[in-house]
Amino acid sequence: STWENRFKIMDAQAPGTIKQQLVDENADLHLNAVKGFVNLEEISRQGRRYNVVAIIGAQSSGKSTLLNRLFGTSFDMMNSIDLRKQTTKGIWIAAVPKNGVLVLDVEGSDSKERWEERTTYEQSTALFALALTNVLLVNLWTQDVGRFTASNYGVIRVIFEMNIKLFRQETAKRILFVLRDYVSEDENFGSLCDTILNDVRKIWSEIPKPPELADAPPEKFFAIDFVSLPHLKFKRKEFEEEVNALRGRFFDDKDERFLFRDFDYSKNLPIDSLPIYMEKVWGEIRSNKDINLPSQKHMVSLFRCGQIKGEVLDLAQGDLRRLRTSVSSGFYDRFREEGKAILDASHKVYDDRAHDYAPQAFEDMKKELDMLLFSELGDLFKLQIEHLKRWLKDSLEKGTKEAADAGITGLMERLKALRGSLHQEIVVKVDSSVLKPEVWNEEGVKRECLELIEESIAKCREKQLAVYIVERRSGVKRAIENRVSSIFEELDDDSFVQLEEAYQRMIEQLSEELTKVLRDSFELEEKDFAKYVFQLRELAFVSLREVLSSKMRDLHSYLIRKFKNLFTKNEKGLLRNWRALKEEEINKFYTIAKEKCVSILNSFKGKKLQKLWESDRASEENPWEIDVLTANEFGEIDIRFQDETENIFVEALRVHASKGAGGIPKWMWALLVFFMYDDVLQWLKSPFLAYPLLIIVFGVALLYLTGLGALPKAFFDLFLSLFSARVSPQLLKYGLK
């Protein structure tokens, strides 16, 4: 790859190692190069399982040589021919992937090339190395023990001062002093170690510390150890033996002095996030700010977890778009299944990539990931619920219409069945849609849908009840009108009593029927019955009052009709022949008919129409009782009745008095026939007169044969009466009498 081409792969002397400059001589961090470095497959697969070793010390003190011997790295080493000049510039990093070790070679201190800026650069690089490493090697010549600058005590002092702020909450750092060119015959190793340890303790005691750490020894924060190495040139064999022994402390976990024993790798950042961590720490150091490395590690973890979160969201967009397309077209039954699959897949990718970072950062970013995913899924869920409500409304509209069209009998059973089926479907559909019940308010959605069902069922019941009540009102009006009309068609003395009894029976029957329907078909509570029963009674009373008022306005006509039926017709319903009756008989029939009608009229006099139930409230519009026939109305009807009945009676007497074909003698009819017979015969010869005459004769004969002979007889009597009234005077005028 591009990055691999930039890295120097070790030659045969240093197989399996890779190196890269981390900080150059101008104090610039090579961030992109380091990112490529840690992303190499051999390095990136280390995850959290890695250790960092760094070395500080004076320039040209053999630091790079020691690292190359210990770890097989290929750091540039000083050429003795070139004398003692700066070899390592800045900070270099190398990796030993096989053993999971990262090695930092730090530019030597006390460099003449840096002049006045050397102190700042030395302290910066030392702090940077300490921030990154698990083990910090302090390389110094044995003969320099006790010297402040040569022993790097100035750097150590800065490290101690910053440690108060940097490492109180971290695992104790291990500092390993490496005494170079140690001659066992001339020097006491224990004495040298004591000297260094006492100097270190003195430096620790002099630095400012918070009160609670005033008496704390440096060993509380640093695991200080010592090792000596013979002269490389004069005692090469012994040097190599000691280096091999020291190498075992880095690589052999069975070595009882293994330097990484009991190290908590969970405190490591994932190796691919080291460049970001390095950038933040180096930036803080270079800007002379107080830094908090645990906070920086958390920030790096947040940054990397945030990046991973963004990557996971990008990966999820395709599935979210497909789910959005499915939901947009209508309610999607697999919403929960596919939504959960998106969440599970996102969690798996996130967990796999981010689980090595700081737990708190991992959890914080995972919560943000969930929040963003649920935000997008929540919008789709709202659309899903809109489709669900639309489907529910359509189903309710269709279901309630079918239930109503089937009639009121069994209406509530059908509506209950509809409620049950829709309730079950709602539960299934909501369960198939909700991913986060406590946030998406699953019960609230179900409750809202159930309320919609109850509202629709209640509206359907109210609508059908209103339709039924309207039908019953129309039925009551028709029934009352028909019954009252039938009573008035057959007026009698007890007609008003019949009217009251019919009204009471009708109200009782309708009330019983209405109560049964309200209870069985509409399942209303008994407290609601009274309202509708009262409305029915009020309607019946008002209808009766209106119909009766109309009939009473026509009472005169009904009485005249009754009178004519009684007076002018016999028991068989045929018209009386006044000429065939005696005058006394006509007077008798008149008296009977008139008395009967007067009796009927009197039966309405002073009567009041009353409500039949005390519970039926009276009002100004609907009083408790009303007069059926007022005194004035009675008087007017009586006068008109008397006048018209007398006219009918006089007419009957006049017809009776005109008997004998209007007073023309029978011999006159014989004389008329004698003189006209030849003309009659002449008329019969004409078809225009003969055929109509024959039709009339056959018609009269047919009526007599069918028992309706009274009709032609009555017609003939009427003809004679008219003839007598019109023709007879003319005949008398010409002296034919």
Side-chain angles (χ1 to χ4, degrees), residues 434-472:
V434 174
L435 285 164
K436 207 169 186 180
E438 67 279 6
V439 176
W440 288 359
N441 195 12
E442 176 181 5
E443 294 304 319
V445 172
K446 291 179 181 178
R447 183 168 56 253
E448 188 175 349
C449 290
L450 292 179
E451 289 174 355
L452 186 60
I453 293 175
E454 293 301 326
E455 180 182 350
S456 296
I457 289 178
K459 286 183 178 179
C460 178
R461 180 172 69 172
E462 291 173 3
K463 181 179 179 181
Q464 293 309 114
L465 178 58
V467 171
Y468 171 76
I469 293 299
V470 169
E471 292 176 351
R472 296 313 301 151

Side-chain angles (χ1 to χ4, degrees), residues 54-57 61-63 66-67 70 135-142 145 152 175-182 189 196 225-230 239 243 246 249-250:
I55 190 168
I56 62 173
S61 62
K63 301 186 300 301
L66 177 59
L67 293 179
L70 282 173
V135 176
L136 178 66
L137 301 178
V138 181
N139 190 66
L140 72 159
W141 286 300
T142 301
V145 172
N152 290 284
I175 300 179
L176 180 61
F177 286 91
V178 181
L179 305 181
R180 303 291 296 275
D181 297 347
Y182 173 72
F189 181 70
I196 295 174
D225 203 353
F226 304 91
V227 66
S228 62
L229 293 177
F239 179 84
V243 167
L246 181 58
R249 296 182 65 183
F250 285 101

Side-chain angles (χ1 to χ4, degrees), residues 20-25 27-30 34 54-56 75 88-94 103-108 114 121-122 124-130 132 278 282:
Q20 169 65 40
Q21 189 172 36
L22 182 58
V23 179
D24 62 20
E25 61 271 23
D28 293 327
L29 179 67
H30 293 188
V34 177
I55 190 168
I56 62 173
F75 295 119
T88 301
K89 296 181 179 181
I91 302 175
W92 285 73
I93 184 171
V103 183
L104 300 182
D105 188 9
V106 182
E107 178 181 314
R114 294 229 173 247
Y121 193 85
E122 290 169 4
S124 297
T125 54
L127 280 174
F128 187 61
L130 182 65
L132 299 177
M278 292 175 180
W282 184 247

Side-chain angles (χ1 to χ4, degrees), residues 119-120 122-128 130 148 152-167 203 207 222 285:
T119 301
T120 301
E122 290 169 4
Q123 292 177 355
S124 297
T125 54
L127 280 174
F128 187 61
L130 182 65
F148 189 86
N152 290 284
Y153 285 168
V155 174
I156 291 174
R157 180 183 182 89
V158 173
I159 289 174
F160 281 177
E161 288 178 348
M162 295 305 298
N163 176 76
I164 301 298
K165 299 177 181 179
L166 302 182
F167 306 121
I203 293 171
I207 64 172
F222 298 96
I285 290 174

Side-chain angles (χ1 to χ4, degrees), residues 401-456:
K401 184 178 184 303
E402 291 176 351
D405 290 344
I408 62 171
T409 303
L411 173 65
M412 290 309 299
E413 284 74 10
R414 293 190 293 275
L415 291 177
K416 285 180 181 178
L418 176 65
R419 175 199 291 148
S421 63
L422 290 179
H423 185 190
Q424 291 179 354
E425 288 195 59
I426 286 297
V427 171
V428 172
K429 288 182 179 293
V430 173
D431 288 343
S432 69
S433 303
V434 174
L435 285 164
K436 207 169 186 180
E438 67 279 6
V439 176
W440 288 359
N441 195 12
E442 176 181 5
E443 294 304 319
V445 172
K446 291 179 181 178
R447 183 168 56 253
E448 188 175 349
C449 290
L450 292 179
E451 289 174 355
L452 186 60
I453 293 175
E454 293 301 326
E455 180 182 350
S456 296

